[in-house]
Amino acid sequence: MKKNIIIIGSGFSSLAAACYLAKQGNDVTVYEKNATIGGRARQLKRDGFTFDIGPTWYWMPDVFERFFSDFGKKPSDYYELIKLSPAYQVYFGISDFVTIADNLPEIVWTFEKIEKGSGEKLEAFMKEAQSNYDIAIKDLVYRPGISPLELITVETIKKVNQFFGNISKDIRRKFNNPKLIQILEFPVLFLGAKPSDTPSFYSFMNFADFGLGTWHPKNGMYSVIMAMESLAKELGVTVKTNSNIEKIHIENNTATAISVNGEIVKGDVVLSGADYHHSESLLEKRYRCYSESYWESRTFAPSSLLFYVGFDRKLENVTHHTLFFDVDFDRHASAIYDNPKWPEQPLFYASFPSKTDLEAAPQGQEAGIFLIPLAPGLEDTPQLREEYFEKIISRFEKLTQQSVKENIIFKESFCVNDFMKEYNSYKGNAYGLANTLMQTAFLRPKLKSKKVKNLFFTGQLTVPGPGVPPALISGKLVSELIQKNN
């Protein structure tokens, strides 16, 4: 039967769910509190420069293809994809960097050159990683996290030991060179946890990296948001911005309406793609499934301090994606997960989309995005932001052997306070709940409320987890659950 479905938020998971639910024949309306859609994946434009505010990495292109194919479409119907070559670069010291190619044979050759015998080990490691990818991304993550039995298949039984080992130990058993170890540990950071807390099975992220490559949608990741909005509208979805949700109304233990900008809007189903903790705060306490102590006990993925910088010239010795691992990885990780505080010497990441995309900056100039991972919930002041920008930009100059400070036209920042204000994000987290063993699949917050009928959730705090591809999948999963329950 046709339902009137209310969706809170307009990030990747909400837009994906909207498309699937509209395809089922429902009336779907998306409400977004901000002036533009996209959730964390919004866009900043200033003085001819264009920045992705949120995600900048396009991995797992097959997940995007699968999403669009569900509607008889292809990504190329909406946006142009460019495979990055090289994929990225990692700095370990002054003019000391490793460049990751856009294909596995060249990466194997790079490894072998750094550590004799590591090329053959990498090939074996990647074969296992691809096997895990085929099991996880093509099958397991498309299950709704209702029962532990979802994880039990012939393939996973063969790999049961990989759910109890961890990525860090596995990599160190095979490789000795610290540079190679850090490069192999890097992809699991997208899962929001330390490599030592991430199950071995998640090596599938290494296949996403080395096997499938790193891509860039022309005009940035926001092109994907715009594509999904176009598809949603083609399917009949209504999208309303500047629509702040103040309450979810419950009658007879059933979600029946929301309050939007002071007005009550009725619906048959309420689906929230907003931060899960915030979504439950829109309910009276008796209807919430997860207490404050529950959220306090969870392992959250990091927050971030981000800078969006316009340079008046092209920068040298960097690629589109450049990582700076010249300081102690473990000490920074400890400052995020073990003893939350501002790291003394932070690792950081920089993206220069104008290296690939001419539209990202005026001719002869450069757009730069700098990111420092931080523990959620930290004090966030203008003074701290300025102090840490000075730290990383000074190191950037030293490591890449160029002066850039005098070439800065402008910079804008985004940190813990902004994540809370703009996205109602719990403690200002940027990526949701970490994918540790005890926060995987059926152990994550549920897609469907246990206490309220016709109330559902989607996004990076529920199934399957953090990241853009999982967000697309989360939207699909919750749409199927809504269809099944109605």
Side-chain angles (χ1 to χ4, degrees):
M1 186 193 298
K2 187 176 186 177
K3 298 286 182 181
N4 177 13
I5 298 180
I6 292 167
I7 299 182
I8 303 172
S10 66
F12 281 107
S13 58
S14 292
L15 290 176
C19 291
Y20 285 110
L21 290 165
K23 184 187 175 188
Q24 292 168 13
N26 300 296
D27 284 330
V28 181
T29 305
V30 173
Y31 294 89
E32 167 57 52
K33 74 180 279 286
N34 292 310
T36 57
I37 65 161
R40 284 165 165 82
R42 291 185 299 156
Q43 192 178 61
L44 168 66
K45 290 195 172 193
R46 177 172 168 179
D47 301 342
F49 292 83
T50 302
F51 306 89
D52 281 314
I53 292 178
T56 55
W57 292 77
Y58 191 104
W59 271 6
M60 304 184 189
D62 52 323
V63 175
F64 295 85
E65 288 163 10
R66 183 166 172 176
F67 168 75
F68 284 104
S69 72
D70 283 343
F71 304 92
K73 304 284 188 179
K74 304 185 294 293
S76 58
D77 292 332
Y78 298 96
Y79 55 90
E80 180 186 339
L81 266 187
I82 303 161
K83 191 174 190 185
L84 297 184
S85 181
Y88 57 90
Q89 192 175 47
V90 187
Y91 269 88
F92 296 97
I94 297 171
S95 299
D96 175 15
F97 56 84
V98 175
T99 301
I100 301 301
D102 67 346
N103 63 87
L104 186 56
E106 280 190 59
I107 299 170
V108 167
W109 180 82
T110 297
F111 269 54
E112 185 63 29
K113 195 168 66 167
I114 293 171
E115 179 184 314
K116 190 171 176 58
S118 67
E120 189 176 336
K121 291 176 185 175
L122 178 62
E123 288 180 316
F125 181 75
M126 290 303 296
K127 190 174 180 182
E128 185 71 30
Q130 181 172 2
S131 169
N132 289 352
Y133 189 91
D134 289 341
I135 294 167
I137 304 302
K138 295 180 181 178
D139 183 15
L140 291 185
V141 295
Y142 285 91
R143 301 185 183 196
I146 294 170
S147 162
L149 297 177
E150 293 172 7
L151 296 178
I152 301 173
T153 67
V154 172
E155 290 82 7
T156 56
I157 288 170
K158 292 175 187 173
K159 293 176 180 279
V160 68
N161 62 312
Q162 291 194 35
F163 287 92
F164 298 98
N166 70 67
I167 286 282
S168 185
K169 282 183 182 176
D170 288 355
I171 290 170
R172 281 166 170 75
R173 272 197 292 266
K174 296 176 175 70
F175 304 91
N176 298 312
N177 186 281
K179 293 179 183 177
L180 301 186
I181 289 169
Q182 287 195 31
I183 289 168
L184 286 168
E185 286 184 339
F186 151 67
V188 301
L189 298 180
F190 283 93
L191 300 170
K194 291 193 296 186
S196 57
D197 292 333
T198 303
S200 304
F201 184 73
Y202 284 101
S203 67
F204 64 73
M205 291 298 294
N206 293 103
F207 179 72
D209 179 4
F210 290 174
L212 298 175
T214 303
W215 301 75
H216 174 75
K218 193 172 180 187
N219 299 321
M221 289 292 286
Y222 199 67
S223 294
V224 187
I225 288 291
M226 292 175 69
M228 294 176 73
E229 180 190 32
S230 294
L231 175 60
K233 287 182 174 178
E234 289 168 31
L235 293 163
V237 174
T238 301
V239 178
K240 297 186 177 184
T241 54
N242 296 307
S243 299
N244 186 46
I245 311 303
E246 295 133 348
K247 185 177 181 180
I248 298 172
H249 294 271
I250 311 299
E251 291 180 19
N252 299 321
N253 293 325
T254 302
T256 59
I258 57 171
S259 289
V260 188
N261 297 338
E263 294 184 16
I264 294 177
V265 177
K266 294 193 172 183
D268 300 310
V269 174
V270 176
L271 165 61
S272 183
D275 176 277
Y276 205 121
H277 172 270
H278 170 72
S279 300
E280 286 215 315
S281 77
L282 301 173
L283 299 164
E284 293 177 31
K285 268 192 177 180
R286 59 190 166 134
Y287 295 123
R288 298 173 193 172
C289 293
Y290 302 98
S291 65
E292 287 299 318
S293 59
Y294 170 85
W295 293 113
E296 194 66 41
S297 70
R298 298 301 89 187
T299 300
F300 272 82
S303 184
S304 299
L305 170 56
L306 290 135
F307 296 99
Y308 311 98
V309 187
F311 295 94
D312 66 9
R313 69 171 178 86
K314 303 300 288 184
L315 303 191
E316 301 167 0
N317 305 324
V318 288
T319 59
H320 184 125
H321 294 301
T322 307
L323 303 157
F324 294 86
F325 287 177
D326 56 304
V327 296
D328 193 302
F329 183 102
D330 292 330
R331 283 182 68 186
H332 188 154
S334 179
I336 295 173
Y337 298 103
D338 305 327
N339 180 25
K341 62 181 179 180
W342 282 82
E344 290 178 22
Q345 291 296 324
L347 287 82
F348 66 99
Y349 151 70
S351 172
F352 303 97
S354 44
K355 291 287 179 192
T356 304
D357 204 327
L358 297 178
E359 302 298 316
Q363 188 173 0
Q365 301 184 352
E366 203 86 87
I369 302 167
F370 296 82
L371 182 153
I372 302 171
L374 296 173
L378 293 182
E379 178 188 20
D380 171 17
T381 65
Q383 293 78 13
L384 279 166
R385 295 187 190 197
E386 200 57 41
E387 176 188 340
Y388 275 79
F389 182 75
E390 179 59 33
K391 279 189 179 192
I392 64 169
I393 206 69
S394 294
R395 274 181 33 219
F396 178 85
E397 289 188 321
K398 185 177 178 182
L399 293 165
T400 64
Q401 295 287 278
Q402 61 186 319
S403 297
V404 300
K405 290 179 187 176
E406 66 272 21
N407 299 108
I408 294 173
I409 304 168
F410 67 84
K411 77 172 187 291
E412 295 195 20
S413 63
F414 200 96
C415 197
V416 173
N417 291 346
D418 300 299
F419 280 102
M420 289 191 284
K421 179 188 171 199
E422 299 293 323
Y423 311 130
N424 295 311
S425 169
Y426 182 74
K427 291 188 175 181
N429 80 83
Y431 307 106
L433 278 177
N435 255 339
T436 60
L437 179 62
M438 298 308 294
Q439 294 182 173
T440 293
F442 66 97
L443 296 172
R444 298 179 72 79
K446 303 299 182 187
L447 292 164
K448 182 181 183 297
S449 172
K450 294 177 186 175
K451 294 185 177 181
V452 179
K453 188 181 177 184
N454 293 343
L455 176 61
F456 298 82
F457 304 88
T458 187
Q460 57 188 4
L461 272 78
T462 180
V463 180
V468 176
L472 297 182
I473 296 166
S474 186
K476 180 182 175 78
L477 293 175
V478 78
S479 71
E480 292 170 347
L481 214 51
I482 289 170
Q483 186 178 37
K484 181 180 177 183
N485 279 265
N486 286 278

